[in-house]
Amino acid sequence: MSDQNGVDEHPREKQRGPVVLRRGRRDELTTTDQRLLDSRGPTDWVHTDPWRVLRIQAEFVEGFGALAEVPSAVTVFGSARTGRDHPEYETGRKLGGALAEAGFAVITGGGPGAMEAVNRGCSEAGGFSVGLGIELPFEQGLNPWVDLGVNFRYFFVRKTMFIKYSQAFICLPGGFGTLDELFEALTLVQTKKVTKFPVVLFGKSYWQGLYDWVKDSVMAGGKVGDKDLGLLHLTDDIDDAVRVVQEAHQAWADSH
C-alpha cells in the first residue's frame, strides 16, 4: 500500500532472527543456519565459527528471557500450506480455542496455515498465543494472531524452546517440518530426556498410515517396543486431545 507520494507504507519483509529486512535487503538467499552448517567452501570458517558461538548464546538468552513467564503451554505443529478455507484450518482454530479454555498457552512455529489457525483460535478465546519463527530463504513472517513472537536464526535453538516451554506436542497434518519435530519429541521422551510429555497425532485419516507403519514394520522388526508405540496418541476428537494433555500435565504436577 502506497501513500499519495508513492511511498510504500507496508513493504514486504523478511525476518532474520530479530532483524527485519525490507525492499532490496530481502534478496539475501542464504540463511544463518546454512552458513553455519554448510562445510563446503574456503576454510575461513575456522576463524568465524568460534564467534558464531556468541550469536548462538545470544539466541538462547533471548529465547529463555522472552519465554520464561509463559504459563503451561502446548506446542502445536502443522502445515504452513493449509489454506484458510481448508477444513484443517478450522480444526486448528477450534483446537487453539479449546486449549486456551483449558488454561494452556499455545506455541506454534508462528507461520501461516495450520500454525496461524491455532494461534488465531487461542487468541480469539483470550489465551496466550506464542509464535517461534525461523529465518528461511523464502519470506514467512509471524502471523497476526501471535501475541508473543520470537524469531530465531538457528533451528536447534528454536527446537530447544519448543521442548523446554511445552507440556505436550499436538501434530496436525503437516510436512517434513512437522515430521521432524514429531520424531525428535518421540526420541526425547523415549530416552527420558523429557518426562510426562504426550505426543498427540490429530487426524486419523492423515496419520493412520504412519502409525501402522511404525507398528507393523518398525515395532514388528524389533526396532522399538510396545511402550514406545504407546507414546503416540491418535485421535480425531479435540476434547480427547485436550484430555490427554490435561492428564499428563496433572501427572507431572503431582510428581513435583
Side-chain angles (χ1 to χ4, degrees):
M1 178 178 179
S2 301
D3 64 13
Q4 59 184 359
N5 296 316
V7 177
D8 191 357
E9 295 180 347
H10 300 286
R12 295 168 67 189
E13 63 184 39
K14 175 182 177 181
Q15 292 169 319
R16 178 185 297 158
V19 178
V20 175
L21 303 175
R22 291 175 174 163
R23 302 181 182 87
R25 297 295 180 180
R26 294 186 295 110
D27 296 335
E28 173 62 64
L29 297 179
T30 62
T31 65
T32 309
D33 259 334
Q34 180 184 339
R35 292 191 293 274
L36 170 67
L37 299 174
D38 193 344
S39 61
R40 294 169 295 181
T43 58
D44 58 357
W45 63 269
V46 172
H47 307 289
T48 59
D49 274 7
W51 291 103
R52 286 194 177 118
V53 172
L54 297 178
R55 174 176 282 179
I56 293 168
Q57 175 180 293
E59 284 215 346
F60 276 113
V61 171
E62 186 73 24
F64 292 153
L67 300 172
E69 303 302 323
V70 172
S72 297
V74 177
T75 291
V76 184
F77 293 106
S79 176
R81 303 183 185 189
T82 302
R84 290 181 178 175
D85 58 347
H86 196 286
E88 290 171 4
Y89 186 95
E90 185 60 24
T91 297
R93 192 172 172 180
K94 290 178 179 178
L95 176 62
L99 288 168
E101 290 168 2
F104 294 98
V106 301
I107 302 175
T108 78
M115 294 176 282
E116 175 188 287
V118 174
N119 285 130
R120 180 176 182 176
C122 177
S123 183
E124 290 173 336
F128 196 156
S129 176
V130 180
L132 306 183
I134 187 68
E135 177 191 353
L136 296 172
F138 47 86
E139 298 168 27
Q140 180 177 297
L142 293 174
N143 69 68
W145 283 278
V146 167
D147 299 324
L148 170 63
V150 184
N151 283 297
F152 295 93
R153 292 183 174 93
Y154 298 101
F155 267 107
F156 57 86
V157 179
R158 181 180 181 238
K159 287 180 175 182
T160 300
M161 303 303 156
F162 281 136
I163 291 288
K164 180 172 176 59
Y165 294 101
S166 297
Q167 273 67 54
F169 274 2
I170 299 178
C171 295
L172 296 171
F176 286 159
T178 301
L179 292 169
D180 173 47
E181 298 293 353
L182 164 63
F183 282 106
E184 181 160 46
L186 289 172
T187 301
L188 290 172
V189 178
Q190 181 193 46
T191 56
K192 301 188 184 303
K193 297 296 184 180
V194 294
T195 58
K196 308 297 183 186
F197 195 96
V199 180
V200 177
L201 299 179
F202 196 97
K204 288 184 178 180
S205 63
Y206 188 85
W207 293 111
Q208 190 68 57
L210 176 65
Y211 184 89
D212 291 342
W213 174 75
V214 172
K215 179 181 179 181
D216 299 335
S217 294
V218 184
M219 190 175 76
K223 306 301 188 293
V224 298
D226 292 343
K227 290 183 179 179
D228 300 321
L229 185 66
L231 299 175
L232 287 168
H233 184 82
L234 190 60
T235 187
D236 277 326
D237 185 76
I238 289 175
D239 290 339
D240 182 45
V242 174
R243 176 191 60 79
V244 170
V245 172
Q246 288 176 314
E247 289 179 355
H249 179 61
Q250 186 60 52
W252 175 87
D254 292 343
S255 68
H256 288 71

